[in-house]
């Protein structure tokens, strides 16, 4: 009997020691007594100071993870292995996530500051009445050029990319929708075309661009252009802003035929466990001072009209990043193409990559 008592006491002592160890580990990592918020966002897409500010104001511990594509984010959310409370997909992916029942409908009575958002960026086709999403950043796809190698009047159109003098001088962003889209735009077709003849025509034309293409790259494009390793690049407006900050000879152009107008919005995925924390984060980011700080740090365009008043004039008056309403009318938002045509776009893009080799 005494042996059993001793064994029982020993087990209790071990449990207590383990519990104390876990508590100390949580305390040392800042988790003890903290409410946890799991945020899943694009890489380098928030001012780190804002995360610290949010934690201090609301008493949360933020676990911040990043993804490098909408598709990677979608797959992880659908698998459901991690309880993400907030994620920030693009417009076409929001459509897809709605269709797959991966988003929680928003309770607008819990959202403060939605009136700070410019009405042009609300109630859009991918999420009517903002039932599931709140605007975070917006921007365009365009052309960056270095004035040491190319004159301004030589790059105003997608079709200018085919000029023979640009042989081996162009970098393209590594994205199927973007590259196939510029081919479609250059022919006057929609970025969301599901016309097989139009798609084949775009790919045929893009094959003719390959002698001018030095590389197809992702995030490295910023470093390459800042270091003047290429004369021209096709990339997103925020990436362009980063490059231009590093090199005064770089300039950004939205092609006159039109281009992509994109939106990244905050959503609450079905994986969320801390729904109140998700609303707190949304409300925090809707505050004008926080939205302005984030826009100035990241370089993308803010949809928060109240924040615009707090940003320097040289930012808000820059038509490269805050284009006129007339120009915006020529831009197009990506639609969710559906599995069939998303696969076709990806296959055509892969074919172009292989054709280069």
């Amino acid at each position: 009997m005494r042996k059993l008592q001793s064994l029982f006491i020993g087990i209790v002592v071990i449990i207590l020691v383990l519990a104390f160890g876990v508590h100390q580990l949580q305390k040392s990592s800042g988790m003890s007594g903290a409410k946890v918020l799991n945020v899943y966002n694009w890489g380098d897409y928030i001012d780190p100071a804002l995360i610290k500010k949010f934690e201090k104001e609301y008493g949360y511990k933020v676990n911040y993870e990043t993804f490098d594509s909408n598709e990677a984010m979608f797959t992880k959310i659908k698998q459901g292995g991690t309880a993400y409370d907030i994620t920030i997909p693009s417009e076409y992916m929001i459509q897809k996530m709605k269709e797959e029942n991966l988003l929680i409908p928003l309770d607008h009575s819990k959202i403060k500051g939605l009136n700070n958002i410019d009405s042009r960026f609300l109630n859009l086709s991918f999420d009517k009445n903002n039932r599931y999403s709140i605007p975070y950043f917006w921007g365009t796809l365009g052309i960056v050029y270095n004035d040491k190698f190319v004159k301004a009047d030589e790059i105003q159109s997608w079709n200018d990319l085919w000029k023979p003098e640009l042989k081996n001088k162009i970098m393209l962003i590594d994205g199927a929708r973007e590259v196939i889209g510029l081919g479609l735009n250059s022919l006057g077709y929609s970025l969301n075309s599901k016309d097989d003849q139009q798609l084949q025509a775009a790919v045929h034309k893009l094959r003719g661009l390959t002698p001018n293409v030095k590389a197809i790259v992702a995030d490295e494009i910023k470093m390459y252009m800042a270091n003047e390793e290429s004369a021209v690049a096709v990339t997103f407006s925020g990436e362009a802003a980063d490059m231009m900050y590093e090199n005064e000879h770089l300039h950004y152009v939205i092609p006159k035929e039109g281009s992509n107008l994109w939106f990244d919005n905050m959503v609450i995925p079905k994986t969320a466990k801390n729904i109140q924390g998700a609303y707190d984060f949304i409300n925090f980011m809707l505050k004008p001072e926080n939205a302005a700080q984030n826009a100035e740090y990241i370089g993308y365009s803010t949809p928060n009209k109240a924040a615009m008043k707090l940003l320097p004039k040289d930012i808000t008056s820059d038509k490269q990043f805050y284009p006129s309403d007339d120009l915006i009318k020529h831009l197009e938002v990506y639609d969710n193409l559906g599995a069939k045509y998303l696969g076709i776009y990806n296959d055509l893009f892969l074919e172009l990559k292989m054709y280069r080799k």
Side-chain angles (χ1 to χ4, degrees), residues 210-314:
T210 56
N212 290 2
V213 177
K214 183 174 184 177
I216 299 176
V217 292
D219 290 343
E220 316 94 282
I221 203 167
K222 291 189 287 188
M223 177 186 67
Y224 290 145
M225 289 302 293
N227 292 339
E228 301 186 345
E229 295 186 36
S230 191
V232 175
V234 173
T235 191
F236 298 108
S237 52
E239 304 288 279
D242 286 345
M243 299 174 198
M244 292 163 62
Y245 179 79
E246 298 292 334
N247 190 322
E248 63 181 7
H249 292 285
L250 298 177
H251 309 273
Y252 181 70
V253 173
I254 302 172
K256 61 185 180 183
E257 303 98 325
S259 187
N260 170 230
L261 175 66
W262 57 262
F263 300 91
D264 288 338
N265 284 21
M266 296 178 283
V267 300
I268 303 177
K270 278 290 181 71
T271 56
K273 300 296 183 185
N274 187 356
I275 294 177
Q276 181 56 52
Y279 281 111
D280 288 339
F281 184 83
I282 290 171
N283 293 336
F284 176 81
M285 295 308 302
L286 282 172
K287 291 179 180 179
E289 62 273 21
N290 296 333
Q293 179 178 333
N294 208 28
E296 192 163 8
Y297 179 86
I298 299 299
Y300 281 105
S301 303
T302 179
N304 193 312
K305 65 179 188 292
M308 293 276 287
K309 299 175 182 177
L310 304 177
L311 288 168
K313 281 287 186 182
D314 62 337

Side-chain angles (χ1 to χ4, degrees), residues 13 19 56 81 96 98 135 154 160 235 273 310 319 328 330:
V13 169
K56 184 176 180 180
K96 184 174 182 178
K98 285 194 302 181
E154 294 176 337
D160 290 332
T235 191
K273 300 296 183 185
L310 304 177
K319 297 302 181 184
I328 287 178
H330 293 284

Side-chain angles (χ1 to χ4, degrees), residues 37 50 53-54 57-58 60 86 106-117 134-136 266-268 275-292 304:
L37 184 74
L50 285 173
K53 182 180 178 183
F54 174 75
E57 286 188 12
Y58 288 85
Y60 291 101
I86 284 282
L106 297 177
D107 181 351
H108 280 224
S109 69
K110 295 182 178 180
I111 297 174
K112 300 174 184 178
L114 191 58
N115 59 321
N116 291 331
I117 300 295
I134 301 298
Y136 183 73
M266 296 178 283
V267 300
I268 303 177
I275 294 177
Q276 181 56 52
Y279 281 111
D280 288 339
F281 184 83
I282 290 171
N283 293 336
F284 176 81
M285 295 308 302
L286 282 172
K287 291 179 180 179
E289 62 273 21
N290 296 333
N304 193 312

Side-chain angles (χ1 to χ4, degrees), residues 65-349:
E65 292 187 33
T66 64
F67 54 86
D68 59 8
S69 73
N70 279 291
E71 288 68 29
M73 178 276 304
F74 172 83
T75 299
K76 200 163 185 183
I77 295 291
K78 190 170 184 179
Q79 288 173 343
T82 306
Y84 296 115
D85 303 304
I86 284 282
T87 191
I88 303 178
S90 302
E91 65 296 310
Y92 74 93
M93 187 53 69
I94 291 170
Q95 284 182 305
K96 184 174 182 178
M97 294 177 81
K98 285 194 302 181
E99 292 169 4
E100 296 279 343
N101 196 32
L102 294 179
L103 299 179
I104 294 175
L106 297 177
D107 181 351
H108 280 224
S109 69
K110 295 182 178 180
I111 297 174
K112 300 174 184 178
L114 191 58
N115 59 321
N116 291 331
I117 300 295
D118 190 322
S119 61
R120 294 179 302 168
F121 307 127
L122 295 172
N123 193 30
L124 298 177
S125 60
F126 61 87
D127 185 23
K128 285 292 185 180
N129 300 313
N130 292 90
R131 188 74 181 92
Y132 294 90
S133 68
I134 301 298
Y136 183 73
F137 278 129
W138 68 279
T140 58
L141 181 77
I143 303 170
V144 176
Y145 69 91
N146 189 313
D147 63 24
K148 291 168 70 173
F149 311 114
V150 180
K151 295 179 181 177
D153 60 0
E154 294 176 337
I155 294 287
Q156 295 297 318
S157 161
W158 288 124
N159 285 298
D160 290 332
L161 298 177
W162 275 261
K163 291 180 177 179
E165 54 267 36
L166 291 179
K167 185 177 181 180
N168 201 37
K169 293 182 179 179
I170 298 173
M171 289 190 173
L172 299 180
I173 192 73
D174 190 5
R177 295 296 299 268
E178 289 71 36
V179 174
I180 302 298
L182 80 86
L184 288 165
N185 266 171
S186 73
L187 292 168
Y189 300 143
S190 168
L191 291 174
N192 299 303
S193 177
K194 292 184 179 181
D195 184 307
D196 292 336
Q197 289 186 334
Q198 291 181 0
L199 287 167
Q200 288 300 324
V203 170
H204 177 74
K205 184 172 181 179
L206 286 165
R207 288 194 193 108
L209 180 63
T210 56
N212 290 2
V213 177
K214 183 174 184 177
I216 299 176
V217 292
D219 290 343
E220 316 94 282
I221 203 167
K222 291 189 287 188
M223 177 186 67
Y224 290 145
M225 289 302 293
N227 292 339
E228 301 186 345
E229 295 186 36
S230 191
V232 175
V234 173
T235 191
F236 298 108
S237 52
E239 304 288 279
D242 286 345
M243 299 174 198
M244 292 163 62
Y245 179 79
E246 298 292 334
N247 190 322
E248 63 181 7
H249 292 285
L250 298 177
H251 309 273
Y252 181 70
V253 173
I254 302 172
K256 61 185 180 183
E257 303 98 325
S259 187
N260 170 230
L261 175 66
W262 57 262
F263 300 91
D264 288 338
N265 284 21
M266 296 178 283
V267 300
I268 303 177
K270 278 290 181 71
T271 56
K273 300 296 183 185
N274 187 356
I275 294 177
Q276 181 56 52
Y279 281 111
D280 288 339
F281 184 83
I282 290 171
N283 293 336
F284 176 81
M285 295 308 302
L286 282 172
K287 291 179 180 179
E289 62 273 21
N290 296 333
Q293 179 178 333
N294 208 28
E296 192 163 8
Y297 179 86
I298 299 299
Y300 281 105
S301 303
T302 179
N304 193 312
K305 65 179 188 292
M308 293 276 287
K309 299 175 182 177
L310 304 177
L311 288 168
K313 281 287 186 182
D314 62 337
I315 291 178
T316 57
S317 63
D318 191 338
K319 297 302 181 184
Q320 298 172 105
F321 304 106
Y322 290 93
S324 66
D325 288 347
D326 286 340
L327 181 52
I328 287 178
K329 289 176 184 176
H330 293 284
L331 305 178
E332 195 174 6
V333 176
Y334 288 141
D335 289 337
N336 176 21
L337 296 171
K340 176 184 175 181
Y341 272 92
L342 182 60
I344 289 173
Y345 273 64
N346 287 334
D347 288 345
L348 292 174
F349 182 49

